[in-house]
Amino acid sequence: MTDEPNISDPEALSKIDTTVPQSARIWNYWLGGKDNYEVDRVAGDAFREIFPGIETGARAARYFLARAVRHLAAEEGIRQFLDIGTGLPNVDNTHEIAQRVAPECKIVYVDNDPLVLAHARALLTSTPEGVTNYVDADLRKPATIVREAGKTLDFDQPIALMLMGILGHIEDYDEARSIVRQLVDALPPGSYLVQYDSTNTSEEYVTAIQQYNEGGSIPYILRSPEQIARYFDGLELLEPGVASCSRWRPDTSAWGLPAEVHQYGGVALKR
């Protein structure tokens, strides 16, 4: 039996709906975390019965995040990260990876999920040289995100904008692209966009998502790799471009993963 999340803040607990499965908590369950409820585990198991590859995809996406952050901090000299759609704390969060490379890195996490808020203190750790901060804001309000993140990050210096598995929650594709464009437009030259989402490249995955969306949760829309690539319009994609997350510059973290998963992502430079 998986333990229920230990939430000591009554106000935060009152805002958490434990009657409807929630994507961040289900993702946490698939990654072996404990910040989930019975309703999430039931939904996660039902999803896995239809699409057994989901846990492999979740791991591949997590390792993609790690490799991308490590590359940007170590090879491209990025010292500021804006991670929108943070999700629940897990092993090797963005600030841990970045500050391991460069302790002076500044990281701003953005989310509006009450359980994530309740765990904000777990995220709000930092090296003495760096900064880790948290913004409670909705992805659909990019101007608010930029304004609040600007209290910690310097928007005159390069920033890595990270949108990891979050744009599928924007049902209208044109709106999703508009949000990305507004956020990227706020970044100075030399910044990067890091993005991945799940794709419609598996019939079983499509069926599992349809069932999930009918369960009352916030819908998640699977898109094609070509649609995901359009998020990077006007930017310079790093090799190998938009690819299956397990194929993006694989290292030892990708050992044991299949060459192809149904989460696609990329990293691109704003000139």
Side-chain angles (χ1 to χ4, degrees):
M1 178 67 178
T2 306
D3 294 333
E4 298 293 290
N6 182 17
I7 306 299
S8 58
D9 184 347
E11 183 180 354
L13 186 59
S14 69
K15 297 177 181 178
I16 298 171
D17 186 352
T18 60
T19 66
V20 177
Q22 199 269 350
S23 62
R25 302 193 312 243
I26 296 173
W27 205 255
N28 174 268
Y29 172 55
W30 286 330
L31 287 171
K34 295 182 178 180
D35 295 316
N36 48 76
Y37 294 90
E38 181 66 21
V39 66
D40 307 306
R41 298 188 284 273
V42 169
D45 290 341
F47 196 107
R48 186 171 46 202
E49 285 183 12
I50 300 172
F51 180 60
I54 188 58
E55 289 182 341
T56 300
R59 291 201 311 275
R62 191 72 189 178
Y63 297 151
F64 165 69
L65 178 153
R67 294 196 302 276
V69 171
R70 193 179 303 116
H71 172 80
L72 292 178
E75 305 298 330
E76 307 296 346
I78 297 298
R79 296 295 180 262
Q80 301 189 107
F81 295 80
L82 177 56
D83 188 340
I84 303 176
T86 304
L88 292 159
N90 212 301
V91 176
D92 275 352
N93 299 291
T94 297
H95 71 284
E96 294 169 320
I97 300 165
Q99 291 180 344
R100 196 175 298 142
V101 174
E104 69 273 22
C105 283
K106 297 180 180 180
I107 295 87
V108 170
Y109 291 110
V110 181
D111 211 302
N112 67 341
D113 179 82
L115 185 58
V116 177
L117 277 170
H119 284 277
R121 288 184 179 178
L123 287 174
L124 291 176
T125 58
S126 177
T127 57
E129 303 92 332
V131 178
T132 303
N133 213 337
Y134 184 90
V135 171
D136 179 13
D138 193 307
L139 175 61
R140 292 176 174 82
K141 297 181 178 179
T144 299
I145 291 174
V146 171
R147 183 186 70 243
E148 294 302 312
K151 297 175 181 178
T152 301
L153 305 179
D154 180 357
F155 276 76
D156 290 326
Q157 298 297 320
I159 295 171
L161 168 65
M162 303 179 62
L163 298 167
M164 313 301 277
I166 189 68
L167 291 171
H169 285 302
I170 305 298
E171 294 187 59
D172 184 87
Y173 179 57
D174 289 336
E175 181 185 4
R177 290 187 62 204
S178 174
I179 290 169
V180 175
R181 186 166 57 250
Q182 291 176 68
L183 289 168
V184 169
D185 285 349
L187 304 177
S191 295
Y192 288 83
L193 170 62
V194 185
Q195 194 272 330
Y196 88 83
D197 262 303
S198 297
T199 65
N200 58 5
T201 49
S202 161
E203 290 185 11
E204 291 82 4
Y205 205 171
V206 170
T207 300
I209 282 288
Q210 288 173 343
Q211 177 176 292
Y212 169 81
N213 289 346
E214 292 168 359
S217 303
I218 297 173
Y220 187 93
I221 308 302
L222 297 177
R223 296 191 166 108
S224 68
E226 292 75 20
Q227 286 176 307
I228 290 175
R230 295 298 305 275
Y231 292 136
F232 297 95
D233 282 356
L235 304 176
E236 184 178 307
L237 277 162
L238 304 188
E239 292 294 335
V242 174
S244 168
C245 284
S246 56
R247 289 182 181 271
W248 198 89
R249 303 192 177 200
D251 59 16
T252 55
S253 69
W255 287 1
L257 292 174
E260 197 76 15
V261 295
H262 300 287
Q263 286 71 29
Y264 275 63
V267 180
L269 168 66
K270 179 180 179 179
R271 288 289 186 184

